[in-house]
Amino acid sequence: MLDVERLQFLDLYSFELRLDYFEKILEFTSSSYSFYWLEAILNLMIYKDTIEFDEILDEMISLSYDDVVEKGYHLGPLIHQKRTNALENAILSIQKYLPENCSKQEIIICVKQHDEALKEYKKLLIMQTPYRLLSSFLVDVGGNDPIWNRPKDIIETIKDYNEKYRLPYIIENDRGLKRRVVVQPEWRDFLMTNYRVIMEWVHDEKIKYLEKRKIEESASE
């Protein structure tokens, strides 16, 4: 749970942010993708407020590499004896090109070198994750609403909600991996001010999810 009492509010705009929705941003996630997507944005927004999907995905792979290769976590379920998690499969596809205990920078370089081979995994990763992460803010859009499968429509819906109250980010439409996340200035200030607290929260929720998956897998063996 996000420790709201540790958060700092340094300007008037911070008090208008919908923290009640933000607290639930990871609450109902059914995939590990959300944790890494949010973590990647938090890292990259330090340097800029407009970030291409492709850059976020590269960061996601670098953040999750150690969890898969070194710690042995599975990021998604085994279906018919096959790993179906696109992020995990992307990592496994480049593992042979990297040394043991490789650095984050080495992973990023490797990802860029094998970009073409990773494109199919990346396309799967952006089908819903960028939009679903904001679902707690889109209060009138149900989980089974077909709009989630229509990127152009959900991007416009996100922008409409952003006019009612600020969302952490909106999305600029383009083709596939060239779409861009635009972190909203009020949220960027707030997230950067509270970077450490929020990153601790994301990390804790991610480990809870991964540990739960590990227990469920052990029970099913």
Side-chain angles (χ1 to χ4, degrees), residues 69 88 96 108 148 206:
V69 175
E88 184 175 350
K96 60 188 173 186
I108 292 284
W148 294 113
K206 176 179 68 177

Side-chain angles (χ1 to χ4, degrees), residues 36 54-70 87-88 90-115 118 122:
Y36 295 108
D54 203 28
E55 188 174 358
I56 296 171
L57 294 172
D58 289 354
E59 182 74 7
M60 281 177 72
I61 293 170
S62 74
L63 289 168
S64 55
Y65 187 89
D66 190 56
D67 288 340
V68 172
V69 175
E70 302 298 333
L87 184 55
E88 184 175 350
I91 290 164
L92 295 175
S93 75
I94 61 169
Q95 182 183 355
K96 60 188 173 186
Y97 303 114
L98 287 160
E100 291 184 11
N101 301 314
C102 54
S103 67
K104 181 179 176 181
Q105 190 58 34
E106 286 177 309
I107 298 168
I108 292 284
I109 291 169
C110 183
V111 167
K112 293 187 183 300
Q113 288 173 340
H114 298 90
D115 184 63
L118 291 170
K122 287 184 172 184

Side-chain angles (χ1 to χ4, degrees), residues 64-146:
S64 55
Y65 187 89
D66 190 56
D67 288 340
V68 172
V69 175
E70 302 298 333
K71 298 176 183 174
Y73 284 120
H74 291 302
L75 306 185
L78 184 69
I79 299 177
H80 302 305
Q81 302 305 309
K82 289 185 179 180
R83 291 289 163 199
T84 58
N85 184 280
L87 184 55
E88 184 175 350
N89 287 335
I91 290 164
L92 295 175
S93 75
I94 61 169
Q95 182 183 355
K96 60 188 173 186
Y97 303 114
L98 287 160
E100 291 184 11
N101 301 314
C102 54
S103 67
K104 181 179 176 181
Q105 190 58 34
E106 286 177 309
I107 298 168
I108 292 284
I109 291 169
C110 183
V111 167
K112 293 187 183 300
Q113 288 173 340
H114 298 90
D115 184 63
E116 197 59 40
L118 291 170
K119 269 188 180 162
E120 287 308 309
Y121 301 120
K122 287 184 172 184
K123 286 176 183 176
L124 290 171
L125 285 166
I126 63 167
M127 284 179 67
Q128 294 200 0
T129 304
Y131 323 110
R132 288 273 187 180
L133 187 66
L134 297 172
S135 61
S136 61
F137 288 85
L138 311 184
V139 293
D140 296 319
V141 183
N144 295 318
D145 195 310

